[in-house]
Amino acid sequence: MDFWKGQENLPDYLIERVEKLNSNEGLLNDLFLINPFNEQPLSLRPNFAFFDFKSDTTPSQADVYFIIASIVHFARFPESQLNSIKQYQDMKFLRFHEHVQSVFSPECFNRFNDGIIQAAILRIANPNELNYSVQDDLSYEMATVLKNLFKNDKDPDRCEAILEFLLAIATGKLRLKKKHKDQFLNHVKDNFDNKKISIFCEFALRSQ
C-alpha cells in the first residue's frame, strides 16, 4: 500500500483496488490483479498437477495461493520433511546465508505459465528470492524470459499476469539490473496497447 502513497491522479482501477484492499471483505478470488485483456480475475487452467479437477470444486485464487505457498515452504524448510540425507543432498532448495543467496529460477515462469501460478509465486516470494540484480547474467536471463513471455498483445492468454510482474518490478520486489529493467519495460511500452498495462509500466519505469 505504501507504494501508492504520494501518487497523484491515480486511475479509477487503482482507486477501486485500494478501496477493495482496505475493506473488510474477503479476497477469495481477488487476491491478484486482473487479466488486463478481458478484465476478469486470474483463474487456473485444468492441467495443474496439484489439484483434482475431477471434483466439482473450482479452485479459487486463495486455493492456488495456498498450494503454491505450501510448495515454496517445503523449498525453504526441507530438513524435517525428507527421509534421508542423500535425498536432501540430491535436491535444490531456497537457501540464504552470508555465502549463498538462492532465487527462483527464471525458468520457473516458463514452466509454470498459468498466469495465476506466476502471480502466486510473485506474491509468496521474498524480495531476496526475486533479486536477479545480484548477477549481470542472471538479470539478463530473467529479462529475456520476461520479454519472451510478454512478446506482444497478440497472445493475451500468455500475458494474463503481466500486471503482477509490472507491480513486482515497480515496488522493487522483483529486481533486475537497471539496464535490463529499462529494456524490458520499454519493450512492454512498444508492444502493448492496453491502458492498464501502460499505467503499471509507467509506475515501474519511475521506480528506483
Side-chain angles (χ1 to χ4, degrees), residues 133-147:
S133 67
V134 292
Q135 292 181 356
D136 194 78
D137 56 346
L138 188 61
S139 176
Y140 173 79
E141 181 183 356
M142 185 59 188
T144 301
V145 166
L146 290 175
K147 283 190 283 188

Side-chain angles (χ1 to χ4, degrees), residues 7-8 11 33 37 41-42 55 61-62 111 124 144 156 160 190:
Q7 303 284 0
E8 298 180 356
L33 298 175
F37 301 100
L42 299 179
S55 68
Q61 290 188 355
R111 293 178 59 194
I124 292 160
T144 301
E160 59 188 348
D190 293 340

Side-chain angles (χ1 to χ4, degrees), residues 42-54:
L42 299 179
S43 59
L44 194 62
R45 298 178 198 138
N47 57 358
F48 185 46
F50 294 95
F51 193 87
D52 180 12
F53 287 93
K54 295 178 182 178

